[in-house]
Amino acid sequence: MKITRITVYQVDLPLEHPYWLSGGRLKFECLDATLVKLETDTGLTGWGEGTPWGHTYVPAHGPGLRAGLATMAPFVLGLDPRRVLDVERAMDLALPGHLYAKSPIDMACWDIAGQAAGVPIADLMGGGSRTPRPIASSVGAKTIEETRDVIERYRARGYVAHSVKIGGNVARDIARIRDVEAIRRDGEIVLYDVNRGWSRAQALQVMRATEDLCVTFEQPCETLDDIAALRPLHAAPVSVDESLVTLQDGARIARDGLAEVFGIKLNRVGGLTKAARLRDIALAHGIDIFVMATGGSVLADTEALHLAATVPDAACRAVWACQDMITAEIAGGRGPRNIDGHLHLPEGSGLGVHPDEATLGHPVAVYSA
Ligand code: MG
């Protein structure tokens, strides 16, 4: 089997509400999505998506992704998409780094490989759990009252997991954490996501002031060096998200004991092939996993769900999905959707959902052998 054509689409995915991160530093209103169709000489077709969360969140952006695809396409055409490691190495040789540009190609290859084998991607990766995965909400509010309102809104849709965005104001952060913990229900999963919004001093103040609650803080500071420096000075569990990009990052976090949770975002780490290695480093070191789409349509959510299904139930905290935050629909309502706050693994072969090509407009690029 050979890849014969790569077709690239660009789609705007507007967010239902403007969304702030990192204590109000970063605002997002529309995501720049890239959809990639891989065609083969057998007639099998695979789809991938790469949707960075804006261009201010991490070093990744839509135009850069599409430029990366242009550079890598000649090296990918002609390869067998079922041999995902060959494709991965070809992309790494053609363009070192730029992992976010590689993830849609990797995703489309896994889609084709699953279809060729007649099984869902998660089963092709070794076996997917059918236990529905809780979807984590994104609570991007600022005040105590707004935070309660947003959590209540998600609870009404069945959500039992919440990523509460904090950072930027120490007193307000402490008050919001204490309030959310006071209204937290039995079985609810809550992560407090700082999105790098604290200095080391601010992080220490909040983490020490809430030590009695034993809550988990995600990405409290900008870098792994910051997180490592603070580690001996507080007792709070930590999740690393934005600073977990490469396999070397994962190895360092595990070896140096920097976190209890890996936040694995598929687009940021370069797709399923590379993410599976981070999963294994985490599991080998007793680290739980929170699997996330970086952003995007139901395709990106479904990719995250396949990886989450390969994590043992007890080690999988939740999946973060974007579908309830965007107003565009590119797959006619198909694919895994929110059912009582959970996503169910699709039983179709490959990814299990493809977009309606007619909703994507004209391709922005086509590369053929
Ligand atoms: Mg995060």
Side-chain angles (χ1 to χ4, degrees), residues 59-78:
H61 73 317
L65 193 157
R66 292 184 288 277
L69 290 174
T71 301
M72 293 185 290
F75 298 85
V76 170
L77 287 164

Side-chain angles (χ1 to χ4, degrees), residues 168-189:
N169 182 307
V170 165
R172 191 178 65 197
D173 288 339
I174 293 169
R176 285 179 64 218
I177 292 165
R178 290 212 167 272
D179 191 70
V180 171
E181 289 302 305
I183 63 162
R184 180 175 184 162
R185 295 177 179 169
D186 273 356
E188 268 186 330
I189 302 158

Side-chain angles (χ1 to χ4, degrees), residues 99-137:
L99 301 179
Y100 68 102
K102 296 167 180 171
S103 77
I105 297 279
D106 177 80
M107 179 176 167
C109 286
W110 278 101
D111 183 21
I112 292 169
Q115 292 175 58
V119 295
I121 288 173
D123 286 351
L124 188 63
M125 294 178 82
S129 169
R130 265 54 178 179
T131 306
R133 296 299 186 217
I135 313 172
S137 71

Side-chain angles (χ1 to χ4, degrees), residues 43-287:
L44 283 181
T45 296
W47 282 87
E49 174 174 4
T51 305
W53 187 258
H55 55 268
T56 53
Y57 171 56
V58 293
H61 73 317
L65 193 157
R66 292 184 288 277
L69 290 174
T71 301
M72 293 185 290
F75 298 85
V76 170
L77 287 164
L79 297 181
D80 184 336
R82 297 168 302 179
R83 298 173 64 96
V84 292
L85 297 179
D86 287 352
V87 177
E88 180 196 29
R89 287 170 193 144
M91 291 195 288
D92 285 344
L93 266 177
L95 184 66
H98 300 271
L99 301 179
Y100 68 102
K102 296 167 180 171
S103 77
I105 297 279
D106 177 80
M107 179 176 167
C109 286
W110 278 101
D111 183 21
I112 292 169
Q115 292 175 58
V119 295
I121 288 173
D123 286 351
L124 188 63
M125 294 178 82
S129 169
R130 265 54 178 179
T131 306
R133 296 299 186 217
I135 313 172
S137 71
S138 280
V139 183
K142 292 198 180 75
T143 66
I144 285 179
E145 294 71 28
E146 287 168 354
T147 305
R148 284 188 175 221
D149 286 350
V150 177
I151 289 176
E152 222 26 77
R153 205 164 71 213
Y154 278 109
R155 280 174 174 165
R157 293 191 234 172
Y159 281 66
V160 295
H162 306 284
S163 175
V164 177
K165 308 301 175 187
I166 56 174
N169 182 307
V170 165
R172 191 178 65 197
D173 288 339
I174 293 169
R176 285 179 64 218
I177 292 165
R178 290 212 167 272
D179 191 70
V180 171
E181 289 302 305
I183 63 162
R184 180 175 184 162
R185 295 177 179 169
D186 273 356
E188 268 186 330
I189 302 158
V190 179
L191 279 172
Y192 293 92
D193 192 353
V194 190
N195 292 110
R196 324 188 299 275
W198 287 333
S199 67
R200 293 187 187 185
Q202 289 173 318
L204 261 192
Q205 276 182 279
V206 182
M207 293 165 109
R208 282 182 168 168
T210 55
E211 241 166 38
D212 56 307
L213 301 171
C214 199
V215 300
T216 302
F217 292 96
E218 188 162 276
Q219 196 70 38
C221 296
E222 187 74 34
T223 67
L224 282 184
D225 286 340
D226 297 330
I227 291 168
L230 296 182
R231 190 70 168 166
L233 306 176
H234 68 83
V238 168
S239 169
V240 174
D241 179 355
E242 288 98 311
S243 290
L244 175 62
V245 182
T246 65
L247 203 57
Q248 289 80 1
D249 295 331
R252 177 185 173 192
I253 296 163
R255 183 191 61 224
D256 294 349
L258 302 186
E260 283 68 36
V261 182
F262 272 16
I264 301 178
K265 281 200 169 79
L266 273 298
N267 182 251
R268 184 185 66 229
V269 306
L272 286 162
T273 305
K274 293 180 190 297
R277 301 189 188 109
L278 291 168
R279 171 202 62 200
D280 292 341
I281 289 178
L283 294 177
H285 293 83
I287 295 169

